[in-house]
Amino acid sequence: MAKLVETFDMERYLGVFLEEVEEHIERLEENLVQLEKSPDDESLVQAIFRSFHTIKGSSSSMGFQKMMELAHLMENLLDGVRKKTIAVTPELVDTLLRGVDLLKFMRNGIALEGKEPEVEIGEIVSMLQNFLGKREKVEEKEAAKRELEEKEHRLETPKEEREYIVRVFLTLDCSMKGVRAYLVINRLQESGVEVVSTNPSLTDLESERFGQSFEIFVRSELTPEEITKIVESVAEVERAEVTMQERETTEEIVKEERKDEVRPKAPSQEKKKVAGGLKKTVRVDVERLDALMNLVGELVIDRARLEDIIRKLQESKEVAHLRTLLADTTTHIGRVTNELQMEIMKARMLPLAEVFNRFPRMVRDLARNFGKEIDFIVEGEDTELDRSLIEEITDPLIHLLRNAVDHGIEPPEERIALGKPPRGRILLKAYQEENSVVILVQDDGRGIDVEKIRKKALALGLATQEELARMSDREAIEFIFYSGFSTNEKVTDVSGRGVGMDIVRRNIERVNGQVHVESERGKGTTFFLRLPLTLAIIRALLVRVDGTIYSIPLADVVEIEKIEKKNTYWVNKTLTSLFRGKTLPLLRLRDLLEGKRAEYEEGMEIPNVLYTVVVNTARVLAGLVVDEIVGEQEIVIKSLGSYIGDVRGLGGATILGDGRVSLIVDVASLLWKMVQVGG
C-alpha cells in the first residue's frame, strides 16, 4: 500500500471544491472590506487567514497549482497582519481584493473547462511580494536551513521504525471530508511515512461514509510529535492524536479492517457523539425544489376543486352522509396542503445576505474611484425571500447603489462646505412587513432636484406646463423612471446615460413588486422596494368581466368599493369619485385589457352601481370597474408560456376550482401610461 491515495477519484469532488471556493471568495470580499474599517479586529484577521488557508489546501489537493500559489502568498500576507509586521492600509486591501478577483476568475474557469485556466499571475504576485518585502524571504531561508539541518540529523541518527495509530479529527464545518482524508494521507506519504491501512476503509473515506474522525495505521521512524505536525498542517484538521502500537496489534487491526470491508463496521460511540452535534442540513438541487413546488401547486388546485364540489353538494338535499365525509376529507387535504406549502416555501427561501454581501465591495471600489468617503451600512440581511425573487432584485439594487454613490453622495469638500460630515452614509436595509419584504436604499446626499426634473420633462414633451404645475413634487419625481430620462449632464462609467431607472421599476413590477422614491433637496433620497415573499402561490381577488373571471393580486388591491352613480364627479372630462379625500379616476377593466381608452366620457351610459376595485401601484391610485366581485382565493401562478410570451397587462394564469382558466391581471403594466406621466 505504498501509494494508497492513487485510487482516489478526485473528479467527484470538483463540484464540492467549486462550491467551497465560491463561499470563501464571497466571505473574503465581505471581510476584506470590513478589515479596512476595523484593522485591529483579530477575529476578522483570523477569519480571512483561514479562508486563504482553506483555498490553498483545497486547490493543492485538487492539483490547481496557480490557485494554490496565489492563495498561499495572500495567506502569508495575512500572517504578517496577524503578527503586526504588516499594517492594514487601503492599498493593501486593494491588492488583496485584486488577488481575490483573480481567484474568482480561476474558479470560474475551472467550472467552465474542468481545468485551471491559462492566466498570468506574475503581476499580482509581484504586488503581493512588495508588501511582504524581505521578511518572507528571510523566513523562508531560515525555514529551509532548519529543515535541511533536521534532515541531516535524521540521516546521521538511525531511528527504529515504529508503528502508530493516527486518529484525525476534522472540524465540524468541514465540507469535503473525503478530500481532507486524501490530503492527510498524501502529506504523510510525501513525508516518508508508510501508510498501512485506514479505518474506515479507503472506499468509505472516499465516499465520505464516516463521521468527523478517522484512523490511519502507519509505519515510520518519525516521532509522534513530528507526525502530529504533518497531519495538523492540512486545512480543516482540528487535531491529531498519535499513539504507538505493537506490531502484533497493528497486524490484528489490519486483518480485522479487511474483514470489515465486506461487513460494514458499526460506528463507535465517540463518532456517534460527534456526528450528533452536527447541524442537520442537506444540499437540495434547485430543480428538485421547483418540482416540489409544482406538485404543491397541483394540490392547491385539487383543493379548490374539492371545495367547489362541496359547495354544489351543499346545495343538494341528497347524499348527506357523502357530503359530510367529503367535507372532512377536504378539510384534511387542506391542512396537509397548507403545511406542505409552507415547508416547501421555507425551503425555497434564502436570506438576503446572498445578495447584500456582494455590495460592500462594490460601494467601496466606487467610492475610491470617485474620491468619496462613504459609510455603507447593511441591516436586515437575515430577512428571507424566495430564491427566484433574489435573482431578480440583484440588478435593480446594483443600479440604485451606483446612483447613490455617483449622483447622491457629495465629495468630502462639498459636504464640509454644506455643514455635513465629510463621510457620506448609504443605508441598505430589509425588513418584513405583513406578506411583503421591503428593501430601502437610502443616502444622505444631495437629494433630487425636482425643478430640474420638471424642466427636463417639459423639454422631452412628457407633460405640458399646466400638467407640471398641478403635479406635487412626489408626482414629478416619478419622471426619473421614464425610459431615457436623465438630469445628469456628465456621463460617467456608472451613470448619466438615461438608462437604468426604468429598468429598475420594470424588473421590480415584473415580479409583482412596487418601487417608489422619497427625496428632500440637500438631505438625501430613499428608494423603497416592496416585494412579495414568493412568486409561486399568492392570494388574489377574483372578479368577473364580460362573463370571464380575472384574478387581481391582493398585494395591488387597496379596497373594494360599491360606488353609486350619484357619488361620481366629472374632473377634466373624466369620471371620478372621492376615496379617502383623494380623487379616484374610474377605469373600465374591460377596455384596459383590450388596450382601448378606459375612462368614462361625458355622454356615455353609466351604470347606477359601479363595482370598483381600488388599486395602487407606482404611486398611482385608480379604480378598476368590473361587472362582479366573485371573491378571494389562493391561486397558483402559471406562466403563459413562450408561445404567448409577455402580454402587457397579464402576469400569468391560474386554474380555478371548476377547472376553468383565469388570467392574472398585472396592474402595474396596465397602468403603465399613467405611471409614465406621473398620474
Side-chain angles (χ1 to χ4, degrees):
M1 205 174 290
K3 271 291 175 185
L4 193 67
V5 295
E6 287 180 353
T7 60
F8 260 71
D9 179 15
M10 298 309 296
E11 289 296 320
R12 63 176 297 178
Y13 295 109
L14 184 60
V16 182
F17 164 78
L18 292 172
E19 286 180 11
E20 181 187 54
V21 171
E22 184 177 24
E23 287 173 6
H24 279 289
I25 285 173
E26 288 176 0
R27 285 183 210 160
L28 282 168
E29 286 189 330
E30 181 183 355
N31 288 339
L32 284 170
V33 172
Q34 192 61 36
L35 180 67
E36 191 173 21
K37 301 174 185 175
S38 310
D40 298 324
D41 189 335
E42 292 183 3
S43 62
L44 193 59
V45 173
Q46 184 64 25
I48 296 169
F49 177 84
R50 289 292 299 175
S51 288
F52 283 130
H53 182 71
T54 302
I55 292 174
K56 180 192 76 172
S58 300
S59 53
S60 173
S61 64
M62 297 297 292
F64 301 128
Q65 192 64 23
K66 286 186 177 179
M67 181 179 278
M68 185 274 290
E69 289 175 9
L70 185 57
H72 177 56
L73 200 54
M74 290 192 282
E75 177 193 30
N76 288 346
L77 257 180
L78 262 295
D79 189 46
V81 174
R82 284 198 308 177
K83 295 176 180 176
K84 308 294 184 183
T85 58
I86 295 177
V88 176
T89 62
E91 291 72 26
L92 174 68
V93 174
D94 277 341
T95 306
L96 287 170
L97 286 171
R98 283 190 64 179
V100 170
D101 287 341
L102 198 52
L103 288 176
K104 187 189 295 185
F105 176 80
M106 292 178 179
R107 182 258 169 217
N108 293 340
I110 293 166
L112 287 172
E113 304 291 337
K115 62 180 181 180
E116 200 169 38
E118 293 294 328
V119 59
E120 179 55 50
I121 64 171
E123 182 183 355
I124 189 67
V125 166
S126 176
M127 293 171 69
L128 292 166
Q129 285 175 338
N130 285 339
F131 284 100
L132 285 168
K134 296 179 180 179
R135 184 186 69 87
E136 187 189 51
K137 293 178 181 177
V138 171
E139 288 180 354
E140 284 181 353
K141 284 181 180 178
E142 289 177 353
K145 185 179 178 182
R146 284 196 302 270
E147 188 177 348
L148 183 62
E149 288 173 352
E150 287 173 2
K151 284 184 178 179
E152 288 174 351
H153 181 69
R154 284 199 298 268
L155 289 171
E156 290 171 3
T157 311
K159 293 183 181 178
E160 181 185 351
E161 188 178 74
R162 297 183 182 275
E163 297 177 341
Y164 301 99
I165 295 179
V166 182
R167 172 165 283 185
V168 183
F169 295 88
L170 302 176
T171 59
L172 291 177
D173 59 351
C174 178
S175 58
M176 295 194 296
K177 297 190 294 183
V179 172
R180 300 303 169 214
Y182 158 82
L183 197 53
V184 168
I185 295 168
N186 192 45
R187 289 273 174 91
L188 287 170
Q189 291 179 332
E190 286 177 350
S191 302
V193 177
E194 181 187 351
V195 177
V196 179
S197 66
T198 63
N199 181 30
S201 67
L202 193 65
T203 303
D204 287 344
L205 288 179
E206 185 179 3
S207 303
E208 299 190 353
R209 291 196 292 269
F210 64 100
Q212 295 305 113
S213 65
F214 59 94
E215 295 173 341
I216 308 173
F217 304 98
V218 302
R219 291 193 185 100
S220 176
E221 296 177 348
L222 299 179
T223 64
E225 291 76 18
E226 290 171 324
I227 294 174
T228 300
K229 187 177 178 182
I230 293 168
V231 174
E232 290 182 349
S233 69
V234 176
E236 296 189 314
V237 170
E238 189 175 88
R239 71 181 193 279
E241 295 176 358
V242 182
T243 54
M244 194 163 54
Q245 296 290 325
E246 297 298 328
R247 183 175 295 274
E248 292 80 4
T249 308
T250 307
E251 288 173 356
E252 287 174 10
I253 291 171
V254 172
K255 287 177 184 177
E256 191 66 31
E257 197 260 349
R258 286 173 180 166
K259 289 179 185 177
D260 290 339
E261 286 181 4
V262 180
R263 184 182 68 258
K265 186 176 181 179
S268 66
Q269 291 300 316
E270 185 175 351
K271 287 182 183 177
K272 284 182 182 177
K273 185 178 179 181
V274 173
L278 296 177
K279 188 178 179 182
K280 295 181 179 178
T281 59
V282 63
R283 293 182 185 271
V284 182
D285 192 326
V286 169
E287 291 181 1
R288 181 170 294 175
L289 284 177
D290 287 341
L292 283 170
M293 188 51 102
N294 286 335
L295 288 173
V296 171
E298 296 302 320
L299 272 174
V300 172
I301 292 167
D302 287 341
R303 180 182 63 189
R305 285 177 177 168
L306 281 169
E307 288 170 349
D308 190 61
I309 293 170
I310 288 173
R311 181 182 58 78
K312 291 176 180 176
L313 283 171
Q314 285 172 342
E315 293 170 358
S316 172
K317 295 181 180 179
E318 300 177 0
V319 293
H321 172 69
L322 180 61
R323 190 162 63 238
T324 303
L325 184 62
L326 189 55
D328 291 343
T329 305
T330 305
T331 302
H332 180 263
I333 289 177
R335 187 170 68 250
V336 172
T337 304
N338 286 336
E339 291 175 1
L340 182 58
Q341 176 185 333
M342 290 305 298
E343 288 300 319
I344 299 300
M345 282 178 63
K346 288 176 184 175
R348 287 175 59 94
M349 302 289 266
L350 290 173
L352 280 166
E354 295 278 331
V355 177
F356 284 9
N357 288 346
R358 309 175 192 178
F359 297 139
R361 161 81 188 278
M362 183 190 81
V363 171
R364 174 202 178 268
D365 290 349
L366 285 172
R368 282 180 63 80
N369 185 40
F370 287 113
K372 298 180 180 181
E373 298 176 7
I374 296 174
D375 288 327
F376 182 53
I377 301 161
V378 178
E379 296 179 4
E381 61 267 37
D382 292 335
T383 306
E384 291 189 331
L385 198 62
D386 190 281
R387 170 191 58 83
S388 57
L389 283 163
I390 281 183
E391 293 169 357
E392 293 290 340
I393 65 171
T394 303
D395 287 344
L397 286 176
I398 287 173
H399 190 83
L400 291 177
L401 288 169
R402 282 180 168 178
N403 268 6
V405 176
D406 189 13
H407 292 292
I409 302 297
E410 310 94 334
E413 56 275 10
E414 185 180 332
R415 291 180 64 86
I416 292 170
L418 292 168
K420 293 183 176 183
R423 296 187 68 85
R425 181 179 184 272
I426 296 177
L427 172 66
L428 176 63
K429 181 178 179 179
Y431 55 92
Q432 189 168 333
E433 196 173 82
E434 296 178 348
N435 289 324
S436 301
V437 168
V438 178
I439 301 174
L440 66 85
V441 179
Q442 184 181 73
D443 68 72
D444 66 347
R446 297 186 179 98
I448 296 174
D449 190 336
V450 181
E451 288 309 310
K452 234 179 182 181
I453 287 177
R454 292 179 191 273
K455 290 176 183 177
K456 189 74 173 183
L458 185 64
L460 292 174
L462 301 178
T464 65
Q465 189 71 54
E466 293 75 18
E467 289 172 330
L468 289 168
R470 288 197 303 269
M471 286 183 191
S472 65
D473 286 352
R474 181 171 289 181
E475 289 171 332
I477 287 174
E478 294 291 324
F479 279 116
I480 66 172
F481 295 107
Y482 191 90
S483 180
F485 192 96
S486 177
T487 59
N488 200 21
E489 296 171 1
K490 183 181 176 183
V491 176
T492 69
D493 292 338
V494 176
S495 56
R497 295 178 177 81
V499 297
M501 293 307 296
D502 62 317
I503 303 298
V504 168
R505 171 158 279 174
R506 201 173 303 158
N507 283 4
I508 296 300
E509 291 181 344
R510 189 171 65 224
V511 295
N512 297 326
Q514 297 177 3
V515 55
H516 75 271
V517 57
E518 294 178 0
S519 183
E520 187 176 349
R521 186 71 177 150
K523 296 290 182 65
T525 304
T526 304
F527 285 89
F528 294 87
L529 311 182
R530 182 178 291 276
L531 302 156
L533 285 173
T534 179
L535 282 178
I537 299 175
I538 63 170
R539 295 204 68 81
L541 180 69
L542 304 185
V543 299
R544 195 185 308 274
V545 176
D546 279 350
T548 302
I549 293 179
Y550 293 91
S551 303
I552 302 176
L554 273 183
D556 295 326
V557 177
V558 178
E559 201 167 300
I560 301 167
E561 289 283 310
K562 187 178 178 182
I563 301 174
E564 296 183 5
K565 183 179 178 180
K566 64 181 180 181
N567 294 327
T568 60
Y569 311 90
W570 292 100
V571 177
N572 294 328
K573 299 182 180 180
T574 300
L575 189 67
T576 63
S577 178
L578 278 179
F579 177 74
R580 298 179 185 173
K582 295 182 179 179
T583 300
L584 180 72
L586 301 176
L587 310 172
R588 298 185 302 279
L589 181 57
R590 175 195 303 110
D591 292 339
L592 273 175
L593 291 169
E594 292 178 0
K596 299 177 182 177
R597 183 175 176 83
E599 296 91 342
Y600 286 94
E601 297 176 1
E602 291 183 16
M604 280 187 175
E605 184 180 344
I606 300 170
N608 291 324
V609 176
L610 300 168
Y611 294 98
T612 307
V613 180
V614 182
V615 294
N616 186 12
T617 181
R619 314 296 289 180
V620 173
L621 193 68
L624 304 181
V625 179
V626 300
D627 298 339
E628 181 187 350
I629 306 294
V630 177
E632 183 186 323
Q633 185 175 306
E634 200 169 58
I635 63 170
V636 181
I637 300 175
K638 299 287 186 182
S639 170
L640 292 174
S642 57
Y643 180 76
I644 297 176
D646 290 332
V647 179
R648 174 61 58 85
L650 297 179
T654 188
I655 302 172
L656 301 176
D658 57 5
R660 286 185 295 171
V661 174
S662 171
L663 295 173
I664 300 169
V665 177
D666 182 355
V667 176
S669 63
L670 265 185
L671 303 178
W672 184 254
K673 276 190 178 180
M674 295 181 67
V675 172
Q676 296 292 354
V677 296

